[in-house]
Amino acid sequence: MTERGREQARAVGRRLSERELAPDRVFCSSLSRTRATAELILEVLEQRSLEPEGLDTLDERDYGVLTGLDMPAAVARWGADRVETWRRSYADGPPQGESLRDTLARITPCLLRQLLPAALRGTALVVAHGNALRAVVMAMEGLGPDAVERLEIPTGSIRIYTLAADATIEAVEFLP
């Protein structure tokens, strides 16, 4: 994790603290960077004893043949339009990788069995990667493929859901 990433995590912690939002449970992907991010947020919130729960279902989508390539190398090999389609499309994924549709199928059971029940019992914090979070937002907010293809979730941003007892959304607040 870069120093910039560490500062973004601390900033999320400060913003949650300012709103007096302290999680009862914290979920993150199984990857070390999200665990470190969650731990930094908890440190700022003075909740070091709360252990982030690593879930591989919250891992970033599998980019298949694009894994390990930077953007210029991928564009040089497959072209800008094809790479952009693979990155943003709901249904089209890179060869040997996942589409956002595949990611949604992987994340939905986790959302229904772990994230929503935790949120209904208290305050749940989810720290994950961009496409995993896009899939969570798509499922939570009932977004269609066109809307989710345009959805941007900036690093370090916060999306706060207020839920009714039946898990329907009463309010959504987005803090960029």
Side-chain angles (χ1 to χ4, degrees), residues 12-151:
V12 167
R14 287 190 297 273
R15 289 165 44 208
L16 291 174
S17 179
E18 288 166 4
R19 291 174 171 268
E20 299 180 2
L21 289 172
D24 301 302
R25 289 183 71 186
V26 178
F27 300 95
C28 62
S29 81
S30 67
L31 304 177
S32 61
R33 192 172 63 223
T34 57
R35 176 172 286 284
T37 299
E39 289 171 348
L40 283 168
I41 293 168
L42 291 170
E43 183 179 307
V44 170
L45 292 170
E46 298 180 1
Q47 287 188 283
R48 289 181 190 92
S49 63
L50 189 58
E51 184 71 24
E53 299 174 44
L55 303 172
D56 59 2
T57 53
L58 291 175
D59 287 356
E60 178 59 294
R61 67 184 259 207
D62 180 352
Y63 276 98
V65 298
L66 297 178
T67 301
L69 297 178
D70 62 17
M71 186 63 76
V75 168
R77 182 158 181 194
W78 290 285
D81 290 343
R82 175 88 334 253
V83 170
E84 187 63 16
T85 296
W86 288 338
R87 287 186 66 240
R88 300 304 300 177
S89 173
Y90 172 71
D92 293 331
Q96 302 167 14
E98 287 182 302
S99 66
L100 186 57
R101 177 177 51 203
D102 299 329
T103 307
L104 177 66
R106 173 169 45 89
I107 285 176
T108 299
C110 172
L111 176 67
L112 296 175
R113 293 185 189 129
Q114 291 168 287
L115 306 182
L116 280 176
L120 290 170
R121 285 190 295 273
T123 301
L125 174 65
V126 178
V127 179
H129 311 271
N131 283 297
L133 292 171
R134 287 173 61 217
V136 169
V137 170
M138 183 179 191
M140 289 285 298
E141 297 181 22
L143 301 181
D146 290 340
V148 79
E149 287 177 1
R150 293 186 305 273
L151 177 64

